[in-house]
Amino acid sequence: MATLRGEVCLTRATDFIVLLSDPDLLQLMLFACPDGVIATNPQGEIMLYTGASERIFGFDPIDVMHKDIGVLLATPEAREHLWAELEERGSLVSMELPAIRKDRQQFAIALSATGLTDRYGCRIASIFYVRDYSAVRAIEDALRSNNSQLNHLVLTLDHVARHDQLTALLHRGSAMEAAEEAILTSGLDRSNFGVALFDLDHFKSVNDSYGHLIGDQVLAAVAQVLQSTARQGDIVGRFGGEEFVAFLPGASLDAVATFAQRVRTAVEAARIRAEDASIHVTISAGVAAIPSCADSLNEAIRIADDRLYAAKRAGRNRVVRHDNARGRHAA
């Protein structure tokens, strides 16, 4: 083994054994590197296994010395991948691999490696620097879990902000926003867009007779009827008080009128159980559509609203789809 100005030059494979037998140099290596240090011969057999490696893997030196480094890896595939990458690249930096401890517990390691060659380019040894990656992986898993929980919380808060707590329908503003977005999406081909406004008939008498808690149950039951009658893609919301709205993308005036009639019939047929009472209610509706009735969403809502109050004046429990009169004098 020749030396030149403090540099170590390995001329034979046996020189590596001599190098490792130098206690001063070995001690220097251990102090210099806080990670586990493992060295193998060209066949992959372990020739050096430091104290830090013992702490990481749990194996005593006698358990692994002169054995293939694969005894420290969790799968044969991991060993093959390690050697293939080292052969191709010549060195590795923080390669994550599945490892195994003496108690057979699997864990993750981050492994850096380099090959030592003689002056003729022949590999005489490989040096591996090993770091227990399980703590880092645990932190990453915790961060992913926390991010998932945070995302879930954000979605939950967004849902709460957009929906009415009593009926689980969209708030008026959120329903309008969704309707405007749907119109923008389909507006280039002037697709039909139906609007239906509903109002429970004589709802004040329900509250007066049974109390507001029972009245809330009635509102929730009617909301369920609306939701179950709507198609996928329809937008249903609570417009305020005992009023509801349904926006139907792609629906003509005939289609939205048919939808409103189905809702009216279902509400009339329902018997809402609340405590010991069986409550019967009816609902009135006014409908409009873009572009047959209006050119904008606000105009369609205004027309549907006028027709709703026309249904009230005409005796309630009906759907109005045309303009006979205007005004709001019924309740």
Side-chain angles (χ1 to χ4, degrees), residues 38-39 42 48 85 96 103 110 126 139-140 148 166-167 173 185 200 204 227 231 240 246 251 259 263 292 295 305 317:
I38 299 171
L48 171 68
E85 290 293 312
E96 186 177 345
D103 60 5
S126 297
I139 293 173
E140 291 177 345
S148 176
L166 174 62
T167 63
T185 301
L200 282 171
K204 184 177 183 298
Q227 196 73 275
R231 310 162 302 172
F259 167 81
V263 172
S292 60
D295 293 326
D305 195 35
N317 193 26

Side-chain angles (χ1 to χ4, degrees), residues 311-327:
K312 293 281 193 178
R313 291 197 309 275
R316 302 179 178 84
N317 193 26
R318 65 194 64 216
V319 176
V320 171
R321 54 174 291 174
H322 52 77
D323 296 320
N324 286 332
R326 299 288 174 93

Side-chain angles (χ1 to χ4, degrees), residues 41-240:
N41 63 16
Q43 290 73 44
E45 297 170 344
I46 296 173
M47 301 166 60
L48 171 68
Y49 181 76
T50 68
S53 301
E54 293 182 52
R55 290 191 295 273
I56 292 172
F57 293 97
F59 289 102
D60 296 323
I62 195 173
D63 297 325
V64 298
M65 290 298 290
H66 306 295
K67 293 183 180 178
D68 190 274
I69 193 172
V71 299
L72 302 176
L73 300 177
T75 64
E77 292 77 14
R79 182 195 184 284
E80 293 175 6
H81 181 55
L82 167 63
W83 286 111
E85 290 293 312
L86 185 59
E87 186 68 26
E88 179 180 348
R89 302 183 186 182
S91 64
L92 302 172
V93 178
S94 296
M95 179 181 182
E96 186 177 345
L97 286 171
I100 193 164
R101 293 191 173 95
K102 187 174 183 178
D103 60 5
R104 312 310 296 170
Q105 179 184 359
Q106 292 192 20
F107 68 109
I109 58 172
L111 184 146
S112 298
T114 188
L116 297 181
T117 60
D118 60 22
R119 65 179 61 183
Y120 305 108
C122 298
R123 183 185 297 271
I124 59 172
S126 297
I127 304 294
F128 300 92
Y129 303 93
V130 182
R131 178 168 296 178
D132 187 343
Y133 202 67
S134 56
V136 177
R137 175 56 63 83
I139 293 173
E140 291 177 345
D141 291 343
L143 288 174
R144 278 192 290 268
S145 176
N146 289 339
N147 286 339
S148 176
Q149 293 177 19
L150 180 59
N151 290 336
H152 177 72
L153 178 60
V154 170
L155 291 175
T156 300
L157 292 175
D158 179 69
H159 184 273
V160 170
R162 289 169 52 81
H163 290 77
D164 174 59
Q165 184 176 2
L166 174 62
T167 63
L169 300 180
L170 289 169
H171 288 304
R172 176 174 182 155
S174 298
M176 290 283 291
E177 181 181 344
E180 289 168 352
E181 183 177 344
I183 290 174
L184 286 175
T185 301
S186 61
L188 294 179
D189 57 3
R190 300 293 293 168
S191 296
N192 292 319
F193 192 88
V195 177
L197 284 177
F198 300 89
D199 188 274
L200 282 171
D201 299 324
H202 301 297
F203 183 68
K204 184 177 183 298
S205 65
V206 174
N207 283 331
D208 292 343
S209 301
Y210 301 100
H212 288 279
L213 291 179
I214 301 301
D216 287 349
Q217 294 182 43
V218 172
L219 290 173
V222 172
Q224 181 59 42
V225 171
L226 273 163
Q227 196 73 275
S228 61
T229 307
R231 310 162 302 172
Q232 184 176 1
D234 290 343
I235 302 160
V236 182
R238 185 180 181 186
F239 220 51

